[in-house]
Amino acid sequence: MPDRFSVLMGRDTLIFQAMLFGARGAVPATANIAPRLVVDIYEAAVKGDVAARGRAQIRLNPCAWR
């Protein structure tokens, strides 16, 4: 993909997985009710901390199912 092209994830429960495969971010509705968790996923991705990113995603998932 060209550098000017970005993929954003729209499914809140798959932010972690999408970023593992190269997505640059997300547009999650859950950021309105759990902004810290969404930021934690993104910041862990930027740092390359896969374990922390996975933990934050697991904590976020119940918010997306309600």
Side-chain angles (χ1 to χ4, degrees), residues 8-60:
L8 299 176
M9 173 48 73
R11 176 95 184 205
D12 297 23
T13 56
L14 297 175
I15 299 168
F16 164 76
Q17 295 87 340
M19 292 189 77
L20 278 176
F21 287 101
R24 295 207 183 158
V27 185
T30 52
N32 290 301
I33 58 170
R36 182 75 255 164
L37 289 175
V38 174
V39 170
D40 287 347
I41 293 169
Y42 179 79
E43 287 180 346
V46 170
K47 293 177 187 172
D49 189 344
V50 175
R53 188 175 12 170
R55 286 190 302 270
Q57 181 69 69
I58 288 168
R59 290 178 54 214
L60 178 68

